Amino acid sequence: MKISDAYVIVTSPGRNFVTLKIVTESGTYGIGDATLNGREMAVVAYLEEHVIPALIGRDASRIEDIWHYLYRGAYWRRGPVTMAAVSAVDLALWDIKAKAACMPLYQLLGGRSRERVMTYAHCTGRDIEGCLAEVEKHVKLGYRAVRVQAGVPGIPTIYGVAKNAGERYEPADAELPAEHVWSTEKYLNHVPKLFAAVRERFGDELHVLHDVHHRLTPIEAARLGKAVEPYHLFWLEDCVPAENQESFRLIRQHTTTPLAVGEVFNSIHDYRELLENQWIDYIRTPLSHGGGITHVRRIADLAGLYHVRTGFHGPTDLSPVCLGAAIHFDTWVPNFGIQEHMPHTSETDAVFPHDYRFEDGHFLVGEAPGHGVDIDEALAKQYPYKRASLPVNRLEDGTLWHW
Ligand SMILES: O=C(O)[C@H](O)[C@@H](O)[C@H](O)[C@H](O)CO
Ligand SMILES: [Mg+2]
């Protein structure tokens, strides 16, 4: 199982994706997602200059050893660029191992723990009514869980809310970062009305989620969590920037609203205090940023000790390779919670043929050996890379703010 070749494929079928392909002497290959939205080419350079030359000739079956070789060996541990590169290698190697074993990846992980994987859809509107119309649409499509985000009067553009009715928002919508204006006061006064309206219209059974995109301080997050308790959210996501894990102590002391965090984390160490103190309820780190299956399953196991479940990040800026592998992981992991689902465009789906299926608000894992996602390299070549950036947030007085 010697690695004979490895290379990076960058393609932009509507948005940028970075894919690592690892080929073994026998011809069996695996692919991994190395996309880091808005910083794609940094990961490409990391892989091409530092990782790929050191992979050639290694035994592809030694996944654990290669993980530590890349993680410890770099000396510079952790960080999103490093970990996106390590993740891509890890996902490609698990794909190869499962193909060599003629098993779908979930079987190799330990087999099926559930029949299907519950997903949540994004529902956004310029105002509350617009958002309710989207919820209605998604409930009809079979979703049991929806993430609701609505425009706030007095705030012209909010990240996470689509520009026009019926559309989806684009996470990286400009070549250089667009500048948005943010008002915490306006947001905090408005957002509980959205949840009240959703519960009034759709009743108690629908799972309702909301993403704050790191914009609040801990005491503001505590106020929001408390205010929305009557609407029993499934989770409140990224309510504060999480570099300071201790912030969650204060939030937790004030509210029973479940908390999700971790889409920007890339290591088990980012979670340690949050988990050991039982300050959170869901972990969000995707397989393509958290060190692949090898590392994320350790995070999931640690989380399980504290009744914390998975709720993996699944926006359009993670490729179908990451989503496909996630569906295998979700099918196996004992402490599964939910999987985010922001559907890829048909152009993206054509570049990445896959065997997972969406049905009635759930994903169904495929039975093909490996993670079940491939890349059409000829088609990928037709979509050259285009620089694209996430926006930045400023307060009304111009101060640069979190988001
Ligand atoms: O919960 C989510 O899906 C998100 O917060 C995304 O919209 C991210 O911001 C995006 O993936 C960044 O690249
Ligand atoms: Mg989020």
Side-chain angles (χ1 to χ4, degrees):
M1 282 272 274
K2 259 197 183 161
I3 297 175
S4 55
D5 194 12
Y7 52 96
V8 175
I9 304 151
V10 181
T11 181
S12 192
R15 65 167 0 281
N16 295 318
F17 296 110
V18 179
T19 308
L20 174 70
K21 182 161 181 172
I22 298 181
V23 186
T24 63
E25 270 176 355
S26 67
T28 304
Y29 66 88
I31 58 173
D33 182 15
T35 311
L36 186 61
N37 195 19
R39 294 293 182 271
E40 294 87 354
M41 300 313 275
V43 186
V44 174
Y46 194 102
L47 283 167
E48 288 184 342
E49 182 63 19
H50 307 291
V51 174
I52 290 176
L55 279 181
I56 308 297
R58 276 178 200 284
D59 180 351
S61 67
R62 295 183 62 171
I63 301 179
E64 192 69 48
D65 183 67
I66 291 177
W67 194 94
H68 289 277
Y69 177 84
L70 294 174
Y71 180 82
R72 299 181 197 207
Y75 185 65
W76 315 106
R77 298 181 184 196
R78 304 163 63 183
V81 175
T82 302
M83 294 304 279
V86 173
S87 304
V89 173
D90 191 78
L91 289 176
L93 294 179
W94 277 97
D95 193 23
I96 291 172
K97 194 180 272 299
K99 283 177 178 169
C102 290
M103 280 183 191
L105 178 58
Y106 78 87
Q107 289 289 10
L108 202 57
L109 290 172
R112 195 184 274 283
S113 296
R114 58 196 51 79
E115 305 313 315
R116 52 188 195 163
V117 168
M118 182 168 72
T119 69
Y120 69 90
H122 285 210
C123 299
T124 87
R126 300 284 301 165
D127 52 24
I128 292 177
E129 261 316 307
C131 184
L132 295 181
E134 284 294 301
V135 175
E136 180 142 19
K137 193 162 105 191
H138 286 87
V139 166
K140 282 194 182 133
L141 288 170
Y143 285 96
R144 311 290 200 279
V146 292
R147 173 184 120 159
V148 296
Q149 313 283 137
V152 174
I155 305 183
T157 317
I158 300 192
Y159 177 80
V161 174
K163 289 205 174 87
N164 300 304
E167 288 179 1
R168 299 190 184 280
Y169 76 93
E170 166 48 55
D173 63 355
E175 195 185 345
L176 290 173
E179 305 224 343
H180 293 175
V181 177
W182 177 250
S183 160
T184 297
E185 295 74 13
K186 290 179 178 133
Y187 169 78
L188 282 180
N189 289 334
H190 186 72
V191 77
K193 297 178 193 155
L194 170 64
F195 304 115
V198 172
R199 282 288 173 233
E200 196 182 287
R201 179 88 56 97
F202 298 95
D204 276 329
E205 292 219 346
L206 185 66
H207 296 307
V208 177
L209 299 79
H210 181 71
D211 191 348
V212 187
H213 281 292
H214 327 260
R215 292 161 180 145
L216 301 178
T217 64
I219 198 68
E220 290 163 351
R223 169 182 155 190
L224 177 60
K226 235 171 138 168
V228 302
E229 275 172 22
Y231 316 116
H232 50 94
L233 268 58
F234 186 95
W235 80 35
L236 192 63
E237 173 185 340
D238 286 340
C239 52
V240 292
E243 290 99 325
N244 179 8
Q245 298 183 32
E246 183 82 23
S247 303
F248 283 79
R249 179 197 298 280
L250 185 139
I251 304 167
R252 197 61 145 184
Q253 278 167 350
H254 290 283
T255 180
T256 57
T257 296
L259 303 172
V261 73
E263 71 178 43
V264 300
F265 291 0
N266 48 63
S267 160
I268 198 165
H269 299 286
D270 297 324
Y271 281 107
R272 201 161 55 79
E273 292 165 63
L274 292 173
L275 293 172
E276 287 175 358
N277 290 293
Q278 308 190 45
W279 288 332
I280 60 168
D281 302 280
Y282 294 92
I283 55 170
R284 298 263 299 139
T285 307
L287 297 174
S288 60
H289 295 164
I293 286 166
T294 300
H295 193 64
V296 174
R297 71 173 176 179
R298 302 219 154 96
I299 305 176
D301 279 345
L302 179 65
L305 298 182
Y306 303 102
H307 307 275
V308 174
R309 295 187 287 161
T310 64
F312 288 160
H313 197 204
T316 40
D317 51 86
L318 303 175
S319 91
V321 178
C322 179
L323 181 61
I327 293 167
H328 283 268
F329 195 100
D330 295 339
T331 300
W332 154 71
V333 72
N335 48 326
F336 170 75
I338 200 164
Q339 169 67 50
E340 182 176 7
H341 180 211
M342 203 178 166
H344 290 109
T345 62
S346 51
E347 288 83 358
T348 297
D349 281 337
V351 171
F352 296 96
H354 52 261
D355 74 342
Y356 56 79
R357 283 190 299 126
F358 175 78
E359 201 180 279
D360 198 23
H362 295 77
F363 277 121
L364 302 178
V365 75
E367 291 297 326
H371 56 48
V373 187
D374 209 340
I375 181 162
D376 180 335
E377 292 181 57
L379 189 57
K381 279 206 182 81
Q382 293 178 20
Y383 300 105
Y385 167 77
K386 284 193 217 115
R387 183 165 56 211
S389 303
L390 287 154
V392 296
N393 236 357
R394 290 188 186 276
L395 298 181
E396 288 168 303
D397 69 357
T399 307
L400 198 79
W401 194 242
H402 319 291
W403 77 278

